[in-house]
Amino acid sequence: EAQVTQNPRYLITVTGKKLTVTCSQNMNHEYMSWYRQDPGLGLRQIYYSMNVEVTDKGDVPEGYKVSRKEKRNFPLILESPSPNQTSLYFCASSLSIRGTEAFFGQGTRLTVV
Amino acid sequence: GENVEQHPSTLSVQEGDSAVIKCTYSDSASNYFPWYKQELGKRPQLIIDIRSNVGEKKDQRIAVTLNKTAKHFSLHITETQPEDSAVYFCAASTDSWGKLQFGAGTQVVVTP
């Protein structure tokens, strides 16, 4: 089954404790991205990747890191999480950057206390 | 960069009535305009999209219209049903930079 898989689904952590949210897709998609969803603000892009080893900042990259060592995986790293990073996070993948459907993962609800 | 504004933020309709959500975009180079539906607790999923060389597209009870001159596009849902209750997001992107810029979302509530 074609899918984007994120882990974990829920995470409560403390300020400053490094964490990684994994994202994996099995559709051989070139384009992957991370979004955060906050009430009233919609989906804001954090980082995106157009292919292996090619990543770039989205609209709200501060406090986040990503890597794309393999085509299928695109982990999101919070080196020193802060409470303002409490949010719902979605990973998404698309066949290419050229106007194709974005497939979203199930979401990760992160709470930083 | 691109800026997408979406209105209204909430929309309450009676079952069977029509719902219209409007979005405006700022970058005239944008050429791809998808709409996503997000049910409560679920992931966003594409319901319809339109490209800049097309003015209107329909799929059963949903349709999207695009006015490139005015830089706005709209989602129309006819004969609304309770299962249409969800948050709807519009988005815009260009081939050159590929980033999907989303609107803030519209909470649609369909009351029986």
Side-chain angles (χ1 to χ4, degrees), chain A residues 38-66:
Chain A
D38 302 288
L41 297 176
L43 291 154
R44 294 181 293 166
Q45 193 178 53
I46 303 169
Y47 268 94
Y48 64 95
S49 168
M50 290 191 280
N51 215 323
V52 175
E53 302 293 0
V54 181
T55 63
D56 206 350
K57 297 177 181 178
D59 294 320
V60 288
E62 294 77 21
Y64 305 95
K65 283 175 56 176
V66 292

PDB file of all heavy atoms in Angstrom, chain A residues 38-66:
ATOM      1  N   ASP A  38      -0.855  24.677  13.186  1.00  0.00           N
ATOM      2  CA  ASP A  38      -1.283  25.363  14.397  1.00  0.00           C
ATOM      3  C   ASP A  38      -2.629  26.031  14.142  1.00  0.00           C
ATOM      4  O   ASP A  38      -2.883  26.516  13.033  1.00  0.00           O
ATOM      5  CB  ASP A  38      -0.239  26.413  14.813  1.00  0.00           C
ATOM      6  CG  ASP A  38       1.136  25.796  15.035  1.00  0.00           C
ATOM      7  OD1 ASP A  38       1.284  25.096  16.047  1.00  0.00           O
ATOM      8  OD2 ASP A  38       2.030  26.001  14.193  1.00  0.00           O
ATOM      9  N   PRO A  39      -3.483  26.081  15.170  1.00  0.00           N
ATOM     10  CA  PRO A  39      -4.835  26.658  14.989  1.00  0.00           C
ATOM     11  C   PRO A  39      -4.785  28.065  14.406  1.00  0.00           C
ATOM     12  O   PRO A  39      -4.037  28.923  14.885  1.00  0.00           O
ATOM     13  CB  PRO A  39      -5.389  26.672  16.419  1.00  0.00           C
ATOM     14  CG  PRO A  39      -4.647  25.591  17.128  1.00  0.00           C
ATOM     15  CD  PRO A  39      -3.268  25.583  16.539  1.00  0.00           C
ATOM     16  N   GLY A  40      -5.558  28.284  13.364  1.00  0.00           N
ATOM     17  CA  GLY A  40      -5.651  29.602  12.747  1.00  0.00           C
ATOM     18  C   GLY A  40      -4.511  29.953  11.809  1.00  0.00           C
ATOM     19  O   GLY A  40      -4.547  30.993  11.144  1.00  0.00           O
ATOM     20  N   LEU A  41      -3.504  29.084  11.749  1.00  0.00           N
ATOM     21  CA  LEU A  41      -2.339  29.387  10.904  1.00  0.00           C
ATOM     22  C   LEU A  41      -2.191  28.419   9.742  1.00  0.00           C
ATOM     23  O   LEU A  41      -1.303  28.572   8.906  1.00  0.00           O
ATOM     24  CB  LEU A  41      -1.057  29.373  11.741  1.00  0.00           C
ATOM     25  CG  LEU A  41      -0.991  30.412  12.847  1.00  0.00           C
ATOM     26  CD1 LEU A  41       0.282  30.239  13.668  1.00  0.00           C
ATOM     27  CD2 LEU A  41      -1.047  31.828  12.266  1.00  0.00           C
ATOM     28  N   GLY A  42      -3.019  27.429   9.669  1.00  0.00           N
ATOM     29  CA  GLY A  42      -2.948  26.485   8.557  1.00  0.00           C
ATOM     30  C   GLY A  42      -1.718  25.608   8.626  1.00  0.00           C
ATOM     31  O   GLY A  42      -1.196  25.316   9.709  1.00  0.00           O
ATOM     32  N   LEU A  43      -1.239  25.204   7.472  1.00  0.00           N
ATOM     33  CA  LEU A  43      -0.060  24.348   7.362  1.00  0.00           C
ATOM     34  C   LEU A  43       1.105  25.212   6.907  1.00  0.00           C
ATOM     35  O   LEU A  43       1.081  25.787   5.817  1.00  0.00           O
ATOM     36  CB  LEU A  43      -0.325  23.246   6.332  1.00  0.00           C
ATOM     37  CG  LEU A  43      -1.361  22.207   6.742  1.00  0.00           C
ATOM     38  CD1 LEU A  43      -2.008  21.576   5.525  1.00  0.00           C
ATOM     39  CD2 LEU A  43      -0.714  21.137   7.604  1.00  0.00           C
ATOM     40  N   ARG A  44       2.119  25.268   7.722  1.00  0.00           N
ATOM     41  CA  ARG A  44       3.293  26.077   7.372  1.00  0.00           C
ATOM     42  C   ARG A  44       4.483  25.158   7.130  1.00  0.00           C
ATOM     43  O   ARG A  44       4.771  24.280   7.941  1.00  0.00           O
ATOM     44  CB  ARG A  44       3.599  27.079   8.489  1.00  0.00           C
ATOM     45  CG  ARG A  44       2.516  28.139   8.671  1.00  0.00           C
ATOM     46  CD  ARG A  44       2.883  29.115   9.772  1.00  0.00           C
ATOM     47  NE  ARG A  44       2.880  28.462  11.077  1.00  0.00           N
ATOM     48  CZ  ARG A  44       3.409  28.997  12.165  1.00  0.00           C
ATOM     49  NH1 ARG A  44       3.993  30.176  12.121  1.00  0.00           N
ATOM     50  NH2 ARG A  44       3.340  28.342  13.325  1.00  0.00           N
ATOM     51  N   GLN A  45       5.166  25.401   6.042  1.00  0.00           N
ATOM     52  CA  GLN A  45       6.259  24.519   5.670  1.00  0.00           C
ATOM     53  C   GLN A  45       7.515  24.820   6.474  1.00  0.00           C
ATOM     54  O   GLN A  45       7.933  25.979   6.612  1.00  0.00           O
ATOM     55  CB  GLN A  45       6.553  24.655   4.176  1.00  0.00           C
ATOM     56  CG  GLN A  45       7.464  23.556   3.650  1.00  0.00           C
ATOM     57  CD  GLN A  45       7.698  23.676   2.168  1.00  0.00           C
ATOM     58  OE1 GLN A  45       8.104  24.730   1.689  1.00  0.00           O
ATOM     59  NE2 GLN A  45       7.436  22.614   1.428  1.00  0.00           N
ATOM     60  N   ILE A  46       8.142  23.772   6.978  1.00  0.00           N
ATOM     61  CA  ILE A  46       9.339  23.921   7.800  1.00  0.00           C
ATOM     62  C   ILE A  46      10.590  23.762   6.927  1.00  0.00           C
ATOM     63  O   ILE A  46      11.446  24.641   6.869  1.00  0.00           O
ATOM     64  CB  ILE A  46       9.350  22.871   8.927  1.00  0.00           C
ATOM     65  CG1 ILE A  46       8.087  22.990   9.792  1.00  0.00           C
ATOM     66  CG2 ILE A  46      10.598  23.023   9.792  1.00  0.00           C
ATOM     67  CD1 ILE A  46       7.898  21.827  10.765  1.00  0.00           C
ATOM     68  N   TYR A  47      10.687  22.627   6.271  1.00  0.00           N
ATOM     69  CA  TYR A  47      11.780  22.324   5.356  1.00  0.00           C
ATOM     70  C   TYR A  47      11.221  21.467   4.219  1.00  0.00           C
ATOM     71  O   TYR A  47      10.200  20.813   4.378  1.00  0.00           O
ATOM     72  CB  TYR A  47      12.896  21.536   6.063  1.00  0.00           C
ATOM     73  CG  TYR A  47      14.000  22.349   6.657  1.00  0.00           C
ATOM     74  CD1 TYR A  47      13.949  22.736   7.996  1.00  0.00           C
ATOM     75  CD2 TYR A  47      15.100  22.731   5.893  1.00  0.00           C
ATOM     76  CE1 TYR A  47      14.972  23.500   8.553  1.00  0.00           C
ATOM     77  CE2 TYR A  47      16.130  23.484   6.446  1.00  0.00           C
ATOM     78  CZ  TYR A  47      16.063  23.865   7.781  1.00  0.00           C
ATOM     79  OH  TYR A  47      17.072  24.611   8.320  1.00  0.00           O
ATOM     80  N   TYR A  48      11.926  21.492   3.110  1.00  0.00           N
ATOM     81  CA  TYR A  48      11.572  20.594   2.026  1.00  0.00           C
ATOM     82  C   TYR A  48      12.831  20.045   1.372  1.00  0.00           C
ATOM     83  O   TYR A  48      13.935  20.570   1.563  1.00  0.00           O
ATOM     84  CB  TYR A  48      10.656  21.278   0.999  1.00  0.00           C
ATOM     85  CG  TYR A  48      11.258  22.435   0.248  1.00  0.00           C
ATOM     86  CD1 TYR A  48      11.830  22.251  -1.006  1.00  0.00           C
ATOM     87  CD2 TYR A  48      11.221  23.718   0.781  1.00  0.00           C
ATOM     88  CE1 TYR A  48      12.360  23.324  -1.709  1.00  0.00           C
ATOM     89  CE2 TYR A  48      11.748  24.789   0.083  1.00  0.00           C
ATOM     90  CZ  TYR A  48      12.315  24.589  -1.153  1.00  0.00           C
ATOM     91  OH  TYR A  48      12.841  25.653  -1.850  1.00  0.00           O
ATOM     92  N   SER A  49      12.634  18.970   0.609  1.00  0.00           N
ATOM     93  CA  SER A  49      13.757  18.336  -0.075  1.00  0.00           C
ATOM     94  C   SER A  49      13.321  17.934  -1.473  1.00  0.00           C
ATOM     95  O   SER A  49      12.282  17.286  -1.644  1.00  0.00           O
ATOM     96  CB  SER A  49      14.197  17.090   0.698  1.00  0.00           C
ATOM     97  OG  SER A  49      15.097  16.313  -0.084  1.00  0.00           O
ATOM     98  N   MET A  50      14.088  18.348  -2.461  1.00  0.00           N
ATOM     99  CA  MET A  50      13.735  18.034  -3.843  1.00  0.00           C
ATOM    100  C   MET A  50      14.350  16.724  -4.317  1.00  0.00           C
ATOM    101  O   MET A  50      13.957  16.205  -5.358  1.00  0.00           O
ATOM    102  CB  MET A  50      14.124  19.192  -4.753  1.00  0.00           C
ATOM    103  CG  MET A  50      13.239  20.406  -4.532  1.00  0.00           C
ATOM    104  SD  MET A  50      13.439  21.689  -5.764  1.00  0.00           S
ATOM    105  CE  MET A  50      14.912  22.471  -5.149  1.00  0.00           C
ATOM    106  N   ASN A  51      15.322  16.229  -3.562  1.00  0.00           N
ATOM    107  CA  ASN A  51      15.884  14.915  -3.868  1.00  0.00           C
ATOM    108  C   ASN A  51      16.932  14.591  -2.807  1.00  0.00           C
ATOM    109  O   ASN A  51      17.181  15.381  -1.893  1.00  0.00           O
ATOM    110  CB  ASN A  51      16.493  14.891  -5.277  1.00  0.00           C
ATOM    111  CG  ASN A  51      16.308  13.541  -5.962  1.00  0.00           C
ATOM    112  OD1 ASN A  51      16.376  12.497  -5.301  1.00  0.00           O
ATOM    113  ND2 ASN A  51      16.061  13.561  -7.244  1.00  0.00           N
ATOM    114  N   VAL A  52      17.572  13.451  -2.951  1.00  0.00           N
ATOM    115  CA  VAL A  52      18.590  13.050  -1.980  1.00  0.00           C
ATOM    116  C   VAL A  52      19.672  14.127  -1.882  1.00  0.00           C
ATOM    117  O   VAL A  52      20.136  14.641  -2.905  1.00  0.00           O
ATOM    118  CB  VAL A  52      19.206  11.698  -2.395  1.00  0.00           C
ATOM    119  CG1 VAL A  52      20.347  11.319  -1.460  1.00  0.00           C
ATOM    120  CG2 VAL A  52      18.154  10.609  -2.402  1.00  0.00           C
ATOM    121  N   GLU A  53      20.003  14.473  -0.661  1.00  0.00           N
ATOM    122  CA  GLU A  53      21.036  15.463  -0.346  1.00  0.00           C
ATOM    123  C   GLU A  53      20.682  16.880  -0.779  1.00  0.00           C
ATOM    124  O   GLU A  53      21.547  17.763  -0.733  1.00  0.00           O
ATOM    125  CB  GLU A  53      22.391  15.057  -0.961  1.00  0.00           C
ATOM    126  CG  GLU A  53      22.921  13.693  -0.525  1.00  0.00           C
ATOM    127  CD  GLU A  53      23.301  13.611   0.951  1.00  0.00           C
ATOM    128  OE1 GLU A  53      23.161  14.618   1.680  1.00  0.00           O
ATOM    129  OE2 GLU A  53      23.743  12.533   1.388  1.00  0.00           O
ATOM    130  N   VAL A  54      19.446  17.125  -1.167  1.00  0.00           N
ATOM    131  CA  VAL A  54      19.016  18.471  -1.555  1.00  0.00           C
ATOM    132  C   VAL A  54      17.881  18.910  -0.638  1.00  0.00           C
ATOM    133  O   VAL A  54      16.762  18.390  -0.734  1.00  0.00           O
ATOM    134  CB  VAL A  54      18.538  18.521  -3.027  1.00  0.00           C
ATOM    135  CG1 VAL A  54      18.122  19.956  -3.383  1.00  0.00           C
ATOM    136  CG2 VAL A  54      19.620  18.025  -3.960  1.00  0.00           C
ATOM    137  N   THR A  55      18.175  19.816   0.282  1.00  0.00           N
ATOM    138  CA  THR A  55      17.149  20.306   1.204  1.00  0.00           C
ATOM    139  C   THR A  55      17.174  21.822   1.223  1.00  0.00           C
ATOM    140  O   THR A  55      18.191  22.441   0.896  1.00  0.00           O
ATOM    141  CB  THR A  55      17.362  19.784   2.632  1.00  0.00           C
ATOM    142  OG1 THR A  55      18.598  20.280   3.145  1.00  0.00           O
ATOM    143  CG2 THR A  55      17.371  18.265   2.671  1.00  0.00           C
ATOM    144  N   ASP A  56      16.056  22.424   1.621  1.00  0.00           N
ATOM    145  CA  ASP A  56      16.001  23.884   1.692  1.00  0.00           C
ATOM    146  C   ASP A  56      14.969  24.292   2.713  1.00  0.00           C
ATOM    147  O   ASP A  56      14.065  23.525   3.070  1.00  0.00           O
ATOM    148  CB  ASP A  56      15.671  24.489   0.338  1.00  0.00           C
ATOM    149  CG  ASP A  56      16.209  25.902   0.202  1.00  0.00           C
ATOM    150  OD1 ASP A  56      16.671  26.480   1.229  1.00  0.00           O
ATOM    151  OD2 ASP A  56      16.157  26.453  -0.905  1.00  0.00           O
ATOM    152  N   LYS A  57      15.137  25.522   3.198  1.00  0.00           N
ATOM    153  CA  LYS A  57      14.251  26.032   4.233  1.00  0.00           C
ATOM    154  C   LYS A  57      12.879  26.379   3.662  1.00  0.00           C
ATOM    155  O   LYS A  57      12.761  26.878   2.547  1.00  0.00           O
ATOM    156  CB  LYS A  57      14.862  27.286   4.860  1.00  0.00           C
ATOM    157  CG  LYS A  57      16.174  27.042   5.574  1.00  0.00           C
ATOM    158  CD  LYS A  57      16.746  28.348   6.105  1.00  0.00           C
ATOM    159  CE  LYS A  57      18.071  28.094   6.802  1.00  0.00           C
ATOM    160  NZ  LYS A  57      18.678  29.355   7.286  1.00  0.00           N
ATOM    161  N   GLY A  58      11.868  26.144   4.490  1.00  0.00           N
ATOM    162  CA  GLY A  58      10.533  26.596   4.177  1.00  0.00           C
ATOM    163  C   GLY A  58      10.274  27.923   4.861  1.00  0.00           C
ATOM    164  O   GLY A  58      11.176  28.757   4.993  1.00  0.00           O
ATOM    165  N   ASP A  59       9.060  28.112   5.341  1.00  0.00           N
ATOM    166  CA  ASP A  59       8.683  29.386   5.957  1.00  0.00           C
ATOM    167  C   ASP A  59       9.080  29.515   7.422  1.00  0.00           C
ATOM    168  O   ASP A  59       9.298  30.612   7.912  1.00  0.00           O
ATOM    169  CB  ASP A  59       7.165  29.572   5.850  1.00  0.00           C
ATOM    170  CG  ASP A  59       6.721  29.721   4.409  1.00  0.00           C
ATOM    171  OD1 ASP A  59       7.434  30.401   3.643  1.00  0.00           O
ATOM    172  OD2 ASP A  59       5.665  29.159   4.055  1.00  0.00           O
ATOM    173  N   VAL A  60       9.148  28.398   8.130  1.00  0.00           N
ATOM    174  CA  VAL A  60       9.417  28.446   9.573  1.00  0.00           C
ATOM    175  C   VAL A  60      10.493  27.441   9.959  1.00  0.00           C
ATOM    176  O   VAL A  60      10.255  26.509  10.727  1.00  0.00           O
ATOM    177  CB  VAL A  60       8.120  28.206  10.388  1.00  0.00           C
ATOM    178  CG1 VAL A  60       7.206  29.411  10.303  1.00  0.00           C
ATOM    179  CG2 VAL A  60       7.400  26.949   9.911  1.00  0.00           C
ATOM    180  N   PRO A  61      11.736  27.612   9.480  1.00  0.00           N
ATOM    181  CA  PRO A  61      12.764  26.593   9.710  1.00  0.00           C
ATOM    182  C   PRO A  61      13.502  26.702  11.052  1.00  0.00           C
ATOM    183  O   PRO A  61      14.207  25.757  11.437  1.00  0.00           O
ATOM    184  CB  PRO A  61      13.744  26.874   8.561  1.00  0.00           C
ATOM    185  CG  PRO A  61      13.635  28.356   8.349  1.00  0.00           C
ATOM    186  CD  PRO A  61      12.179  28.690   8.611  1.00  0.00           C
ATOM    187  N   GLU A  62      13.327  27.832  11.771  1.00  0.00           N
ATOM    188  CA  GLU A  62      14.141  28.056  12.970  1.00  0.00           C
ATOM    189  C   GLU A  62      13.866  26.980  14.014  1.00  0.00           C
ATOM    190  O   GLU A  62      12.718  26.726  14.382  1.00  0.00           O
ATOM    191  CB  GLU A  62      13.849  29.437  13.563  1.00  0.00           C
ATOM    192  CG  GLU A  62      14.263  30.607  12.689  1.00  0.00           C
ATOM    193  CD  GLU A  62      13.298  30.868  11.539  1.00  0.00           C
ATOM    194  OE1 GLU A  62      12.129  30.420  11.630  1.00  0.00           O
ATOM    195  OE2 GLU A  62      13.704  31.497  10.549  1.00  0.00           O
ATOM    196  N   GLY A  63      14.952  26.382  14.518  1.00  0.00           N
ATOM    197  CA  GLY A  63      14.826  25.381  15.568  1.00  0.00           C
ATOM    198  C   GLY A  63      14.700  23.956  15.045  1.00  0.00           C
ATOM    199  O   GLY A  63      14.565  23.020  15.832  1.00  0.00           O
ATOM    200  N   TYR A  64      14.732  23.793  13.737  1.00  0.00           N
ATOM    201  CA  TYR A  64      14.586  22.470  13.128  1.00  0.00           C
ATOM    202  C   TYR A  64      15.762  22.168  12.207  1.00  0.00           C
ATOM    203  O   TYR A  64      16.397  23.062  11.684  1.00  0.00           O
ATOM    204  CB  TYR A  64      13.299  22.399  12.295  1.00  0.00           C
ATOM    205  CG  TYR A  64      12.040  22.751  13.033  1.00  0.00           C
ATOM    206  CD1 TYR A  64      11.534  24.052  12.987  1.00  0.00           C
ATOM    207  CD2 TYR A  64      11.349  21.792  13.763  1.00  0.00           C
ATOM    208  CE1 TYR A  64      10.377  24.388  13.655  1.00  0.00           C
ATOM    209  CE2 TYR A  64      10.179  22.114  14.436  1.00  0.00           C
ATOM    210  CZ  TYR A  64       9.697  23.420  14.383  1.00  0.00           C
ATOM    211  OH  TYR A  64       8.546  23.753  15.051  1.00  0.00           O
ATOM    212  N   LYS A  65      16.017  20.868  12.045  1.00  0.00           N
ATOM    213  CA  LYS A  65      16.974  20.391  11.062  1.00  0.00           C
ATOM    214  C   LYS A  65      16.359  19.205  10.347  1.00  0.00           C
ATOM    215  O   LYS A  65      15.484  18.519  10.881  1.00  0.00           O
ATOM    216  CB  LYS A  65      18.273  19.934  11.745  1.00  0.00           C
ATOM    217  CG  LYS A  65      19.188  21.057  12.183  1.00  0.00           C
ATOM    218  CD  LYS A  65      20.393  20.520  12.955  1.00  0.00           C
ATOM    219  CE  LYS A  65      21.183  19.509  12.190  1.00  0.00           C
ATOM    220  NZ  LYS A  65      22.401  19.068  12.924  1.00  0.00           N
ATOM    221  N   VAL A  66      16.855  18.970   9.120  1.00  0.00           N
ATOM    222  CA  VAL A  66      16.408  17.796   8.374  1.00  0.00           C
ATOM    223  C   VAL A  66      17.617  17.192   7.670  1.00  0.00           C
ATOM    224  O   VAL A  66      18.673  17.801   7.578  1.00  0.00           O
ATOM    225  CB  VAL A  66      15.345  18.154   7.306  1.00  0.00           C
ATOM    226  CG1 VAL A  66      14.035  18.598   7.945  1.00  0.00           C
ATOM    227  CG2 VAL A  66      15.872  19.198   6.335  1.00  0.00           C
TER     228      VAL A  66
END
